[in-house]
Amino acid sequence: MSGTDEQGRVALVTGAARGIGRAVALRLAAEGRTVGVLDRNGDEAEALAAEIRAADGRAYALAADVANAAEVEAAVAELAERVGPPTILVNNAGILRDNLLFRMTEDDWDQIMDVHLKGHFLVTRAVQAHMVQAGWGRIVNLSSTSATGNRGQANYSAAKAGIQGFTKTLALELGRFGITANCVAPGYIDTDLTRQTAERIGVSFEAFMEQMAAQTAVGRTGTPDDIAEAVAFFAGERSGFTTGQVLYVAGTPHV
């Protein structure tokens, strides 16, 4: 495939309005992809899409709850009709509902499972048909170092570990159609979700990030752009022989 052909592909990024999703959308757009900017907040999605277009990129805003099957199906159909069928998918949408197990409510558990696991499933199911038809696809799922266990995150850790198993299964099922599925597992990244974690444990965000930086081999915490770099590799043509893998982007070999 030529570089021009690859640049013409349509990518869908969920939870794209802020943080890691925003960085990924900007990176893929800068590489020439048309980006479907999907977020629950339609106004924020449109603001990012407009920013991409102002920089001579191509983007289309979509508002949907990834845990709602009807909204997901409608959004993917709209994207395919308006700008073309998506053959790159970045499942990034996520929330936090942290608490120690004895304080965790059933709603805390269900919301995390709905957005992370069910959301990944619903969006992937809707998009994979377009990939199969095209005979080419790239699925990149966002996990976390919390998949290995993290105090106060029984729900989140279980969901992020589940995403890794989901990814490996997608790789096995879809590989014969020219589709790869890989997982990026960030460590501590400077995002709104990380700020929520600092608030939960009762420390300032600055102190929290300093503590996390001291635990890395590289002496710093990550940025959304660090994650976008890894996603961009998995989303591209050159990663065609890499599938079912989990890449920890955490600044340390210990996760």
Side-chain angles (χ1 to χ4, degrees):
M1 166 177 289
S2 72
T4 300
D5 290 336
E6 184 173 354
Q7 288 177 355
R9 297 200 183 278
V10 176
L12 176 61
V13 182
T14 72
R18 299 183 182 185
I20 290 171
R22 172 185 169 83
V24 169
L26 289 170
R27 174 60 184 268
L28 295 181
E31 291 183 346
R33 278 53 170 256
T34 299
V35 181
V37 179
L38 187 148
D39 201 273
R40 285 191 69 174
N41 189 316
D43 291 339
E44 291 188 0
E46 178 53 43
L48 177 56
E51 181 180 337
I52 290 171
R53 292 192 295 266
D56 295 325
R58 299 185 300 274
Y60 187 82
L62 299 155
D65 177 356
V66 296
N68 184 302
E71 291 186 15
V72 167
E73 292 286 347
V76 172
E78 181 180 349
L79 181 66
E81 179 182 354
R82 296 296 180 88
V83 300
T87 54
I88 298 170
L89 170 61
V90 182
N91 279 310
N92 168 75
I95 61 172
L96 289 179
R97 294 294 183 269
D98 293 353
N99 227 326
L100 295 175
L101 183 63
F102 75 97
R103 292 176 180 161
M104 188 171 289
T105 67
E106 189 173 346
D107 188 54
D108 290 336
W109 181 272
D110 288 346
Q111 285 193 53
I112 291 295
M113 296 303 158
D114 279 352
V115 173
H116 292 271
L117 282 176
K118 185 179 179 182
H120 277 54
F121 160 66
L122 290 176
V123 181
T124 303
R125 186 179 65 175
V127 170
Q128 61 86 32
H130 295 291
M131 296 179 175
V132 170
Q133 185 173 9
W136 191 96
R138 297 288 184 266
I139 300 168
V140 188
N141 296 324
L142 270 292
S143 180
S144 168
T145 55
S146 292
T148 62
N150 196 26
R151 179 179 173 84
Q153 291 190 320
N155 51 0
Y156 187 77
S157 294
K160 290 303 191 181
I163 286 169
Q164 295 187 14
F166 176 66
T167 302
K168 290 177 180 293
T169 301
L170 293 177
L172 291 170
E173 291 187 5
L174 300 176
R176 66 192 181 96
F177 300 107
I179 302 167
T180 65
N182 291 287
C183 207
V184 175
Y188 285 98
I189 310 298
D190 187 351
T191 66
D192 289 343
L193 288 184
T194 309
R195 291 178 182 274
Q196 290 179 33
T197 300
E199 291 175 4
R200 173 177 63 85
I201 63 177
V203 301
S204 71
F205 178 69
E206 291 73 18
F208 178 74
M209 295 301 275
E210 285 181 11
Q211 181 182 359
M212 294 304 103
Q215 297 178 21
T216 70
V218 298
R220 69 173 178 88
T221 53
T223 69
D225 286 338
D226 289 320
I227 308 306
E229 289 284 349
V231 171
F233 167 71
F234 283 135
E237 181 67 24
R238 290 176 294 177
S239 63
F241 200 56
T242 304
T243 194
Q245 300 305 302
V246 179
L247 176 61
Y248 285 91
V249 184
T252 181
H254 304 296
V255 295

